[in-house]
Amino acid sequence: MIAEPGSFRDPHSFVAYTKAGILVRYLHDEYLPHFNHLISSDLYNILFKQKKIVGHQLADKRDYDAVKEYGTVLRPETIPFISYGYEWSFSQLKAAALLTLSINKLALEHGMILKDANVYNIQFIGYRPVLIDTASFEIYEDQKPWSAYQQFCQHFLAPLALCSYVNVHLRKIALTNIDGIPLELCVSLLPFRAKFNIGLYFHLFMHSRMQVKHQSKQIPVNSQRIALPKKKLLSLLSHLENTVKKLKWNMPVSQWSNYYINTNYTEIGKDQKRKIVSEYVDSLHCKTAIDIGANNGEYSSILSDKGIYTVALDMDEVSVENNYVMSSKNSNENLLPLQSNIINPTPGIGWNNKERKSFLQ
């Protein structure tokens, strides 16, 4: 058994690979009441039917390496290609944020809550974001605040706000901050006019101020139990949801965003190129592909339409955003647009540079 380096933080669950390369998730015995509630409350089935969570099969632990105190083994659905928030377009990050909030609101209706709200718990299957951490749910305790609130703000709201108000490239700060963009840093970069956004003022500016206040007094932020009735907690989640929905990115015209409009290809030339690409792909009989320099996915879509899972990679932010918006409109589950420069690909980060894989890995 080889443990996945990125799952060591959770005391109740970890992901590993068997010698045969099969992906499994081990659940600690202490987590079983929460897992059983996830299943018995029908929350898991609802999320699975809505395609918001990865599927899993309950495996026979006798078929896998025995792990002390981790008596429950799941065989989760595998993700075709792992990606991270700093490789996503603005709209991808926004979709992942809204999915996290949507799941948490639905969980509360079934007596549960997300104990984690980090960006790494979300992956994309084509255009569609999906929660991959089955063990991120816990039974909801009445009057208890959302422990993952700060995490959500640092992993989702802060980079989205910086993209919207300053520069889309600032979401790359997450590369050097695996626990999310510090709120104090975020608000120092936001312009004064961002304070007129009530949601950002409350969830970022005021939130950051409270963090600094607690740190100056050497009091852990979560040490004071503030009673938060379920109704108010749902209102908090709805307020976050509305704040995220209203954030926009005013895309500039980039060097490559109008490439297929200004290109010297004639329509006949474009058709010939599509035919050549299509015939060549047919001769390969491949199931997956990476289109390097994919621009807006003009030719990546030829592969995805054939059922080939295609990662459409480009360094141009605008082109990747346009590609994702179009693939979303087409509900394309075989096309994953990502932003990265292949001559300077995203590196491995976190503990020992292995917690989050590099793009080439």
Side-chain angles (χ1 to χ4, degrees), residues 83-90 92-93 119-120 154-156 158-164 166-182 185-186 189 249 313-318 320 337-349 357-359:
S83 61
Y84 304 123
Y86 41 78
E87 297 169 332
W88 300 343
S89 71
F90 176 82
Q92 280 175 303
L93 186 59
V119 71
Y120 304 105
Q154 292 184 173
H155 280 261
F156 290 106
L160 284 170
L162 290 172
C163 289
S164 181
V166 189
N167 192 297
V168 72
H169 294 283
L170 288 180
R171 80 190 193 292
K172 296 286 188 180
I173 295 175
L175 270 168
T176 54
N177 292 274
I178 196 169
D179 293 319
I181 298 176
L185 173 60
C186 175
L189 295 171
W249 177 39
L313 187 73
D314 204 277
M315 65 179 183
D316 184 70
E317 301 273 3
V318 179
V320 176
L338 291 180
Q339 191 277 324
S340 187
N341 188 343
I342 196 63
I343 64 171
N344 186 28
T346 47
I349 64 170
K357 294 179 173 66
S358 70
F359 179 81

Side-chain angles (χ1 to χ4, degrees), residues 83 88 96 99-100 118-124 129-132 156:
S83 61
W88 300 343
L99 175 72
T100 302
N118 71 69
V119 71
Y120 304 105
N121 280 352
I122 306 295
Q123 286 296 327
F124 278 84
V130 62
L131 178 71
I132 63 169
F156 290 106

Side-chain angles (χ1 to χ4, degrees), residues 24-35:
V24 291
R25 179 183 289 277
Y26 292 87
L27 300 180
H28 196 285
D29 294 342
E30 290 181 356
Y31 184 71
L32 279 185
H34 303 281
F35 177 72

Side-chain angles (χ1 to χ4, degrees), residues 39 70 90 98 111 138 149 157 168 215-216 225 247 331 341:
I39 303 301
Y70 286 81
F90 176 82
L98 292 174
E138 65 181 6
Y149 171 58
L157 190 57
V168 72
Q215 288 168 1
S216 64
R225 185 184 173 93
L247 289 174
S331 300
N341 188 343

